[in-house]
Amino acid sequence: QVQLVESGGGLVQPGGSLRLSCAVSGTFISIHDLNWYRQAPGKEREMVASITSGSSTNYADSVKGRFTISADNAKNTVYLQMNSLKPEDTAVYYCNARRRTIQADYWGQGTQVTVSS
């Protein structure tokens, strides 16, 4: 049974930073593409950061230069470092692990990030 548990969200002032964690159990993160998505009220869920094979990363234009995705295989944990946060970053952030070869897709429960003064 694969489970993803996000943590690290909270209330931050504009310009602040947070690091989200996604602890994965039931599978090795090294065999997955790893992604962070977010969903703001009234908006579609969007991918904000991903790690694919070869440790290549990709970011949404809205977060490029501010967010960094990383993975610690020893801890089986995925991280999203978020810097220079803006109010428009406010959303529930979801961790996702994906195996495209077998079309397996796993999601965490989400963690709330609120950027407000």
Side-chain angles (χ1 to χ4, degrees):
Q1 181 167 313
V2 177
Q3 290 189 322
L4 284 65
V5 180
E6 300 98 333
S7 62
L11 175 63
V12 184
Q13 295 212 93
S17 297
L18 283 174
R19 188 173 81 157
L20 305 183
S21 298
C22 174
V24 180
S25 61
T27 189
F28 295 110
I29 64 171
S30 60
I31 67 173
H32 293 263
D33 291 342
L34 304 166
N35 312 282
W36 285 96
Y37 288 77
R38 69 185 181 189
Q39 187 167 25
K43 295 185 177 181
E44 297 290 326
R45 186 175 296 187
E46 63 171 339
M47 183 184 293
V48 298
S50 65
I51 298 179
T52 56
S53 60
S55 296
S56 62
T57 59
N58 192 55
Y59 300 92
D61 288 342
S62 59
V63 308
K64 196 168 297 181
R66 300 187 297 120
F67 290 13
T68 303
I69 187 170
S70 62
D72 187 331
N73 290 339
K75 296 181 179 179
N76 221 43
T77 299
V78 187
Y79 303 95
L80 183 68
Q81 178 67 46
M82 305 184 295
N83 299 324
S84 301
L85 284 162
K86 304 175 180 180
E88 51 263 44
D89 295 318
T90 295
V92 177
Y93 284 72
Y94 298 91
C95 183
N96 166 263
R98 182 171 293 140
R99 291 197 68 192
R100 295 186 179 274
T101 302
I102 62 171
Q103 296 184 319
D105 205 37
Y106 308 103
W107 294 87
Q109 83 290 343
T111 186
Q112 176 71 47
V113 172
T114 302
V115 184
S116 176
S117 59

